[in-house]
Amino acid sequence: MHLGRNLDGRRHAENVVKQGVGRLSFLYRKAAFLDFSTRKLLTSALIQPYLDYCTSSWYEGVPKYLKSKLDVLQRRMVRFIFSKDQMYHIGTKELKSLSWLTVPDRVKFFRLLHVFKIRAGLAPHYLTLHFRPISDVHTHSTRGCLYDFHVSKEISMAPTSFAYIAITQWNGLPECLKGIQSLFVFKTKLKSFLLEQY
């Protein structure tokens, strides 16, 4: 992962865009020999990992213009898979047909997987430091006390931090998702839930 002077994700995002565009250009040169399934497979294998790598740690620190470039890169990937020209509009309908999430939702997906692992005791200790179940903070019976995490004053003062965003997004999930015990089932159900919003 590439970090800039301010330890933000700007430099890494720039590298992701550069690498993604380069690899997509390579695939375009071979497009005549590739069918739909192969185009999707190669795009997922050669470009998507660059977008996904440590995404929940660097994405929020990226300025809007770079987030826009990441979105553009994803739309170019979809155009390549469907063999569409550069003027063809790509929306959530096309993404959903590929079972792909938008870039922000993909970031959210991985962030919530981290929270699930924290709740299940599968995450490294350093990730768990700011994640206190509401039931550990008070004994009042509330709707979300069984699965939700407490947002402390310390965390609320850093609204762009991983802990704040992860906790608020987790607490906003339906109870039926937060109560799942299997990581595999949670991943499957969470992705379906996010895609249903399109």
Side-chain angles (χ1 to χ4, degrees), residues 12 40 43 55 61 88 94 98 148 153 163 181 191-192 198:
H12 184 76
K40 182 181 178 183
T43 305
T55 185
Y88 186 85
E94 289 75 16
L98 295 173
D148 289 359
K153 290 183 179 179
Q181 301 299 313
K191 186 174 182 180
S192 296
Y198 299 164

Side-chain angles (χ1 to χ4, degrees), residues 184-195:
F184 175 78
V185 174
F186 179 75
K187 288 173 68 174
T188 304
K189 296 287 187 180
L190 176 61
K191 186 174 182 180
S192 296
F193 171 74
L194 294 173
L195 284 173

Side-chain angles (χ1 to χ4, degrees), residues 168-182:
T168 53
Q169 289 184 343
W170 173 268
N171 290 353
L173 288 176
E175 297 294 308
C176 59
L177 279 177
K178 291 183 286 189
I180 294 173
Q181 301 299 313
S182 163

Side-chain angles (χ1 to χ4, degrees), residues 22-109:
R23 293 193 171 208
L24 190 57
S25 296
F26 169 78
L27 291 177
Y28 264 110
R29 293 197 293 271
K30 311 296 181 182
F33 307 101
L34 307 173
D35 60 15
F36 175 86
S37 297
T38 307
R39 290 194 300 272
K40 182 181 178 183
L41 176 65
L42 290 174
T43 305
S44 298
L46 298 178
I47 304 174
Q48 192 66 57
Y50 279 96
L51 290 166
D52 292 344
Y53 181 70
C54 293
T55 185
S56 57
S57 64
W58 58 262
Y59 184 79
E60 293 305 325
V62 170
K64 288 184 179 180
Y65 81 91
L66 270 177
K67 288 181 179 179
S68 178
K69 285 189 176 184
L70 292 169
D71 290 335
V72 169
L73 173 60
Q74 185 185 55
R75 289 197 293 272
R76 290 185 63 185
M77 292 161 61
V78 176
R79 287 191 191 98
F80 169 75
I81 293 171
F82 284 110
S83 294
K84 300 296 184 181
D85 61 57
Q86 294 184 359
M87 300 302 294
Y88 186 85
H89 175 72
I90 299 297
T92 53
K93 176 183 176 182
E94 289 75 16
L95 289 171
K96 190 172 184 178
S97 69
L98 295 173
S99 292
W100 279 18
L101 298 167
T102 62
V103 174
D105 275 347
R106 198 162 177 87
V107 175
K108 182 177 182 179
F109 173 79

